[in-house]
Short mmCIF file of all heavy atoms in Angstrom, two decimals:
data_model
loop_
_atom_site.label_atom_id
_atom_site.label_comp_id
_atom_site.label_asym_id
_atom_site.label_seq_id
_atom_site.Cartn_x
_atom_site.Cartn_y
_atom_site.Cartn_z
N VAL A 25 0.86 -1.23 0.00
CA VAL A 25 -0.01 0.08 -0.01
C VAL A 25 0.85 1.23 0.05
O VAL A 25 0.65 2.21 -0.75
CB VAL A 25 -0.88 -0.03 1.25
CG1 VAL A 25 -1.67 1.30 1.31
CG2 VAL A 25 -1.97 -1.11 1.06
N LEU A 26 1.92 1.27 0.91
CA LEU A 26 2.72 2.48 1.07
C LEU A 26 3.82 2.63 0.17
O LEU A 26 4.38 3.71 -0.11
CB LEU A 26 3.14 2.64 2.45
CG LEU A 26 2.00 2.70 3.55
CD1 LEU A 26 2.69 2.66 4.96
CD2 LEU A 26 1.14 3.79 3.36
N GLY A 27 4.35 1.41 -0.37
CA GLY A 27 5.55 1.47 -1.18
C GLY A 27 6.84 1.52 -0.29
O GLY A 27 6.75 1.77 0.90
N THR A 28 7.97 1.26 -0.93
CA THR A 28 9.21 1.33 -0.23
C THR A 28 9.55 2.61 0.43
O THR A 28 9.92 2.58 1.62
CB THR A 28 10.40 0.94 -1.23
OG1 THR A 28 10.01 -0.38 -1.85
CG2 THR A 28 11.63 0.86 -0.37
N ASP A 29 9.31 3.70 -0.24
CA ASP A 29 9.59 5.05 0.34
C ASP A 29 8.70 5.36 1.49
O ASP A 29 9.06 5.95 2.58
CB ASP A 29 9.38 6.06 -0.77
CG ASP A 29 10.37 5.97 -1.81
OD1 ASP A 29 11.55 5.38 -1.54
OD2 ASP A 29 10.19 6.51 -2.95
N GLY A 30 7.32 5.03 1.39
CA GLY A 30 6.46 5.17 2.49
C GLY A 30 6.80 4.44 3.76
O GLY A 30 6.70 4.97 4.94
N MET A 31 7.19 3.19 3.57
CA MET A 31 7.70 2.30 4.69
C MET A 31 8.94 2.88 5.38
O MET A 31 9.02 2.95 6.54
CB MET A 31 7.88 0.90 4.22
CG MET A 31 6.63 0.18 3.83
SD MET A 31 5.52 -0.10 5.26
CE MET A 31 6.52 -1.33 6.32
N THR A 32 9.87 3.40 4.55
CA THR A 32 11.08 4.01 5.09
C THR A 32 10.77 5.21 5.81
O THR A 32 11.41 5.54 6.82
CB THR A 32 12.15 4.18 3.98
OG1 THR A 32 12.33 2.93 3.31
CG2 THR A 32 13.38 4.72 4.51
N ASP A 33 9.85 6.11 5.29
CA ASP A 33 9.48 7.38 5.95
C ASP A 33 8.88 7.23 7.33
O ASP A 33 9.27 7.83 8.32
CB ASP A 33 8.73 8.22 4.96
CG ASP A 33 9.55 8.74 3.81
OD1 ASP A 33 10.77 8.71 3.84
OD2 ASP A 33 8.92 8.93 2.81
N TRP A 34 7.75 6.50 7.29
CA TRP A 34 6.99 6.35 8.54
C TRP A 34 6.23 5.14 8.68
O TRP A 34 5.89 4.72 9.80
CB TRP A 34 5.92 7.55 8.62
CG TRP A 34 4.94 7.54 7.41
CD1 TRP A 34 5.15 7.98 6.20
CD2 TRP A 34 3.62 6.98 7.52
NE1 TRP A 34 4.01 7.81 5.44
CE2 TRP A 34 3.13 7.17 6.17
CE3 TRP A 34 2.86 6.28 8.49
CZ2 TRP A 34 1.90 6.59 5.80
CZ3 TRP A 34 1.60 5.79 8.02
CH2 TRP A 34 1.06 5.96 6.77
N GLY A 35 5.98 4.36 7.66
CA GLY A 35 5.19 3.14 7.71
C GLY A 35 5.77 2.00 8.61
O GLY A 35 5.00 1.22 9.16
N TRP A 36 7.07 2.04 8.86
CA TRP A 36 7.71 0.91 9.65
C TRP A 36 7.22 1.04 11.01
O TRP A 36 7.34 0.06 11.72
CB TRP A 36 9.22 1.11 9.59
CG TRP A 36 9.73 2.40 10.10
CD1 TRP A 36 9.94 3.59 9.48
CD2 TRP A 36 10.19 2.65 11.48
NE1 TRP A 36 10.43 4.54 10.31
CE2 TRP A 36 10.58 3.95 11.48
CE3 TRP A 36 10.12 1.85 12.67
CZ2 TRP A 36 10.98 4.49 12.75
CZ3 TRP A 36 10.59 2.35 13.85
CH2 TRP A 36 11.08 3.76 13.88
N ARG A 37 6.75 2.19 11.59
CA ARG A 37 6.29 2.37 12.93
C ARG A 37 5.02 1.60 13.29
O ARG A 37 4.76 1.09 14.36
CB ARG A 37 6.12 3.77 13.31
CG ARG A 37 7.36 4.62 13.12
CD ARG A 37 7.07 6.07 13.53
NE ARG A 37 8.16 7.00 13.33
CZ ARG A 37 9.19 7.15 14.24
NH1 ARG A 37 9.14 6.52 15.38
NH2 ARG A 37 10.14 7.98 13.96
N LEU A 38 4.17 1.45 12.17
CA LEU A 38 2.72 1.00 12.43
C LEU A 38 2.66 -0.39 13.02
O LEU A 38 1.95 -0.64 13.98
CB LEU A 38 1.97 1.03 11.16
CG LEU A 38 1.77 2.43 10.66
CD1 LEU A 38 0.91 2.45 9.30
CD2 LEU A 38 0.98 3.32 11.65
N PRO A 39 3.44 -1.44 12.46
CA PRO A 39 3.38 -2.80 13.04
C PRO A 39 3.75 -2.86 14.47
O PRO A 39 3.20 -3.58 15.30
CB PRO A 39 4.32 -3.62 12.19
CG PRO A 39 4.40 -2.86 10.89
CD PRO A 39 4.34 -1.42 11.38
N PHE A 40 4.81 -2.10 14.91
CA PHE A 40 5.18 -2.11 16.31
C PHE A 40 4.05 -1.46 17.30
O PHE A 40 3.97 -1.90 18.38
CB PHE A 40 6.48 -1.35 16.47
CG PHE A 40 7.69 -2.01 15.80
CD1 PHE A 40 8.25 -1.55 14.63
CD2 PHE A 40 8.27 -3.18 16.36
CE1 PHE A 40 9.25 -2.05 13.99
CE2 PHE A 40 9.36 -3.79 15.66
CZ PHE A 40 9.84 -3.23 14.51
N LEU A 41 3.41 -0.47 16.85
CA LEU A 41 2.44 0.12 17.65
C LEU A 41 1.26 -0.87 17.81
O LEU A 41 0.47 -0.72 18.84
CB LEU A 41 1.88 1.42 16.93
CG LEU A 41 2.88 2.48 16.83
CD1 LEU A 41 2.25 3.76 16.07
CD2 LEU A 41 3.48 2.88 18.08
N VAL A 42 1.06 -1.80 16.96
CA VAL A 42 -0.07 -2.90 17.18
C VAL A 42 0.22 -3.67 18.45
O VAL A 42 -0.66 -4.28 19.10
CB VAL A 42 -0.21 -3.72 16.04
CG1 VAL A 42 -1.22 -4.77 16.18
CG2 VAL A 42 -0.61 -2.86 14.71
N ALA A 43 1.52 -3.71 18.90
CA ALA A 43 1.85 -4.57 20.08
C ALA A 43 1.21 -4.13 21.39
O ALA A 43 0.98 -4.88 22.26
CB ALA A 43 3.39 -4.60 20.22
N GLY A 44 0.88 -2.80 21.41
CA GLY A 44 0.27 -2.29 22.60
C GLY A 44 -1.03 -2.92 22.94
O GLY A 44 -1.25 -3.54 24.03
N PRO A 45 -2.01 -2.91 22.08
CA PRO A 45 -3.36 -3.50 22.34
C PRO A 45 -3.27 -5.05 22.57
O PRO A 45 -3.91 -5.61 23.46
CB PRO A 45 -4.08 -3.14 21.10
CG PRO A 45 -3.57 -1.91 20.47
CD PRO A 45 -2.06 -2.05 20.84
N LEU A 46 -2.35 -5.67 21.70
CA LEU A 46 -2.09 -7.12 21.96
C LEU A 46 -1.60 -7.52 23.36
O LEU A 46 -2.03 -8.45 23.87
CB LEU A 46 -1.18 -7.70 20.88
CG LEU A 46 -1.69 -7.85 19.42
CD1 LEU A 46 -0.57 -8.29 18.56
CD2 LEU A 46 -2.87 -8.84 19.40
N GLY A 47 -0.74 -6.64 23.83
CA GLY A 47 -0.21 -6.86 25.12
C GLY A 47 -1.16 -6.76 26.25
O GLY A 47 -1.18 -7.45 27.20
N LEU A 48 -2.02 -5.71 26.08
CA LEU A 48 -3.17 -5.60 27.07
C LEU A 48 -4.07 -6.76 27.12
O LEU A 48 -4.42 -7.22 28.18
CB LEU A 48 -3.87 -4.29 26.79
CG LEU A 48 -3.23 -2.93 27.07
CD1 LEU A 48 -3.96 -1.73 26.59
CD2 LEU A 48 -2.77 -2.74 28.49
N ILE A 49 -4.44 -7.26 25.98
CA ILE A 49 -5.29 -8.46 25.95
C ILE A 49 -4.64 -9.59 26.54
O ILE A 49 -5.20 -10.45 27.45
CB ILE A 49 -5.70 -8.74 24.54
CG1 ILE A 49 -6.57 -7.57 23.87
CG2 ILE A 49 -6.41 -10.07 24.43
CD1 ILE A 49 -6.78 -7.74 22.37
N GLY A 50 -3.29 -9.83 26.21
CA GLY A 50 -2.68 -10.99 26.73
C GLY A 50 -2.47 -10.91 28.29
O GLY A 50 -2.44 -11.88 29.02
N LEU A 51 -2.17 -9.66 28.78
CA LEU A 51 -1.94 -9.40 30.22
C LEU A 51 -3.23 -9.66 30.99
O LEU A 51 -3.20 -10.35 32.05
CB LEU A 51 -1.51 -8.00 30.48
CG LEU A 51 -1.22 -7.64 31.94
CD1 LEU A 51 -0.20 -8.61 32.52
CD2 LEU A 51 -0.91 -6.20 32.06
N TYR A 52 -4.30 -9.24 30.42
CA TYR A 52 -5.63 -9.55 31.11
C TYR A 52 -5.93 -11.01 31.21
O TYR A 52 -6.40 -11.45 32.24
CB TYR A 52 -6.81 -8.90 30.26
CG TYR A 52 -8.15 -9.19 30.74
CD1 TYR A 52 -8.70 -8.70 31.92
CD2 TYR A 52 -8.96 -10.16 29.93
CE1 TYR A 52 -9.95 -8.99 32.33
CE2 TYR A 52 -10.17 -10.50 30.43
CZ TYR A 52 -10.67 -9.90 31.52
OH TYR A 52 -12.02 -10.27 31.99
N MET A 53 -5.67 -11.73 30.14
CA MET A 53 -5.88 -13.21 30.25
C MET A 53 -5.01 -13.92 31.15
O MET A 53 -5.35 -14.85 31.95
CB MET A 53 -5.72 -13.83 28.84
CG MET A 53 -6.72 -13.23 27.83
SD MET A 53 -6.71 -14.22 26.32
CE MET A 53 -7.08 -15.73 26.80
N ARG A 54 -3.72 -13.47 31.30
CA ARG A 54 -2.74 -14.18 32.15
C ARG A 54 -2.96 -13.88 33.63
O ARG A 54 -2.79 -14.68 34.55
CB ARG A 54 -1.29 -13.73 31.79
CG ARG A 54 -0.95 -14.43 30.43
CD ARG A 54 0.59 -14.39 30.21
NE ARG A 54 0.87 -15.19 29.04
CZ ARG A 54 2.13 -15.32 28.50
NH1 ARG A 54 3.10 -14.70 29.11
NH2 ARG A 54 2.37 -16.00 27.52
N ILE A 55 -3.55 -12.69 33.94
CA ILE A 55 -3.86 -12.27 35.36
C ILE A 55 -4.99 -13.09 35.80
O ILE A 55 -4.96 -13.45 37.09
CB ILE A 55 -4.09 -10.80 35.45
CG1 ILE A 55 -2.92 -9.94 35.23
CG2 ILE A 55 -4.83 -10.49 36.71
CD1 ILE A 55 -3.09 -8.45 35.19
N ARG A 56 -5.89 -13.54 34.92
CA ARG A 56 -7.00 -14.37 35.40
C ARG A 56 -6.69 -15.86 35.54
O ARG A 56 -7.52 -16.62 35.98
CB ARG A 56 -8.09 -14.23 34.38
CG ARG A 56 -8.65 -12.78 34.20
CD ARG A 56 -9.78 -12.71 33.21
NE ARG A 56 -10.94 -13.52 33.48
CZ ARG A 56 -11.44 -14.46 32.77
NH1 ARG A 56 -10.79 -14.78 31.56
NH2 ARG A 56 -12.44 -15.20 33.06
N LEU A 57 -5.45 -16.33 35.20
CA LEU A 57 -5.19 -17.66 35.23
C LEU A 57 -4.88 -18.21 36.67
O LEU A 57 -4.44 -17.35 37.53
CB LEU A 57 -3.87 -17.99 34.39
CG LEU A 57 -3.95 -17.88 32.81
CD1 LEU A 57 -2.58 -18.12 32.28
CD2 LEU A 57 -5.06 -18.84 32.37
N GLU A 58 -5.09 -19.47 36.92
CA GLU A 58 -4.75 -20.05 38.19
C GLU A 58 -3.41 -20.71 38.04
O GLU A 58 -2.87 -20.91 37.04
CB GLU A 58 -5.85 -21.12 38.58
CG GLU A 58 -7.21 -20.61 38.73
CD GLU A 58 -7.40 -19.86 39.90
OE1 GLU A 58 -6.55 -19.97 40.89
OE2 GLU A 58 -8.24 -18.99 40.01
N GLU A 59 -2.73 -20.97 39.19
CA GLU A 59 -1.53 -21.69 39.28
C GLU A 59 -1.78 -23.10 38.75
O GLU A 59 -2.75 -23.74 38.90
CB GLU A 59 -0.80 -21.62 40.59
CG GLU A 59 0.64 -21.97 40.57
CD GLU A 59 1.47 -21.25 39.60
OE1 GLU A 59 1.74 -20.10 39.85
OE2 GLU A 59 1.74 -21.87 38.60
N THR A 60 -0.62 -23.79 38.23
CA THR A 60 -0.80 -25.11 37.67
C THR A 60 -1.05 -26.17 38.75
O THR A 60 -0.44 -25.98 39.92
CB THR A 60 0.41 -25.55 36.85
OG1 THR A 60 1.50 -25.68 37.66
CG2 THR A 60 0.72 -24.51 35.77
N PRO A 61 -1.73 -27.25 38.56
CA PRO A 61 -1.88 -28.30 39.57
C PRO A 61 -0.56 -28.88 40.04
O PRO A 61 -0.43 -29.10 41.18
CB PRO A 61 -2.77 -29.31 38.82
CG PRO A 61 -3.49 -28.60 37.84
CD PRO A 61 -2.59 -27.52 37.34
N ALA A 62 0.36 -29.07 39.08
CA ALA A 62 1.61 -29.68 39.45
C ALA A 62 2.39 -28.73 40.37
O ALA A 62 3.09 -29.17 41.36
CB ALA A 62 2.54 -29.92 38.24
N PHE A 63 2.43 -27.39 40.11
CA PHE A 63 3.11 -26.55 41.03
C PHE A 63 2.57 -26.44 42.38
O PHE A 63 3.17 -26.36 43.44
CB PHE A 63 3.17 -25.10 40.36
CG PHE A 63 3.96 -24.11 41.23
CD1 PHE A 63 5.31 -24.09 41.18
CD2 PHE A 63 3.24 -23.23 42.01
CE1 PHE A 63 6.02 -23.20 41.99
CE2 PHE A 63 3.93 -22.26 42.78
CZ PHE A 63 5.44 -22.29 42.72
N ARG A 64 1.16 -26.45 42.40
CA ARG A 64 0.43 -26.43 43.69
C ARG A 64 0.84 -27.66 44.52
O ARG A 64 1.13 -27.54 45.76
CB ARG A 64 -0.99 -26.31 43.57
CG ARG A 64 -1.49 -25.02 42.90
CD ARG A 64 -3.01 -24.77 43.17
NE ARG A 64 -3.86 -25.73 42.45
CZ ARG A 64 -4.30 -25.69 41.26
NH1 ARG A 64 -4.08 -24.53 40.53
NH2 ARG A 64 -5.07 -26.65 40.71
N ALA A 65 0.85 -28.87 43.95
CA ALA A 65 1.22 -30.13 44.61
C ALA A 65 2.64 -29.99 45.07
O ALA A 65 2.88 -30.49 46.16
CB ALA A 65 0.96 -31.30 43.69
N GLU A 66 3.53 -29.58 44.22
CA GLU A 66 4.93 -29.43 44.59
C GLU A 66 5.22 -28.54 45.82
O GLU A 66 5.97 -28.75 46.76
CB GLU A 66 5.76 -28.97 43.48
CG GLU A 66 7.30 -28.90 43.72
CD GLU A 66 7.93 -30.14 44.20
OE1 GLU A 66 7.55 -31.26 43.85
OE2 GLU A 66 8.89 -30.09 44.93
N THR A 67 4.36 -27.34 45.80
CA THR A 67 4.56 -26.35 46.92
C THR A 67 4.03 -26.98 48.22
O THR A 67 4.75 -26.83 49.23
CB THR A 67 3.74 -25.17 46.52
OG1 THR A 67 4.20 -24.59 45.32
CG2 THR A 67 3.88 -24.14 47.66
N GLU A 68 3.02 -27.74 48.22
CA GLU A 68 2.48 -28.39 49.43
C GLU A 68 3.45 -29.36 49.78
O GLU A 68 3.75 -29.59 51.07
CB GLU A 68 1.12 -29.02 49.11
CG GLU A 68 0.11 -27.97 48.78
CD GLU A 68 -1.28 -28.61 48.43
OE1 GLU A 68 -1.32 -29.91 48.36
OE2 GLU A 68 -2.24 -27.85 48.11
N ALA A 69 4.05 -30.24 48.94
CA ALA A 69 5.02 -31.20 49.31
C ALA A 69 6.30 -30.58 49.88
O ALA A 69 6.92 -31.09 50.83
CB ALA A 69 5.32 -32.14 48.10
N ALA A 70 6.73 -29.43 49.35
CA ALA A 70 7.86 -28.73 49.83
C ALA A 70 7.67 -28.22 51.22
O ALA A 70 8.56 -28.32 52.11
CB ALA A 70 8.24 -27.63 48.92
#
């Protein structure tokens, strides 16, 4: 869409900026996770 010159001027920034929303979604999902059964069992055994 932008061509080589457009990517070199400013278009290269756009793909990296997409990481922000993706990171928020991933963080939300990981915060809601429980600890694994194997780790819980190992912690109790320790």
Side-chain angles (χ1 to χ4, degrees):
V25 173
L26 301 178
T28 303
D29 293 337
M31 289 296 291
T32 304
D33 290 340
W34 60 275
W36 63 270
R37 299 181 184 274
L38 297 179
F40 294 103
L41 298 178
V42 175
L46 282 178
L48 290 176
I49 296 171
L51 179 62
Y52 171 75
M53 294 187 65
R54 288 193 172 180
I55 288 176
R56 295 178 64 239
L57 291 176
E58 299 290 336
E59 195 49 80
T60 68
F63 181 80
R64 292 197 298 265
E66 176 61 29
T67 302
E68 294 173 2

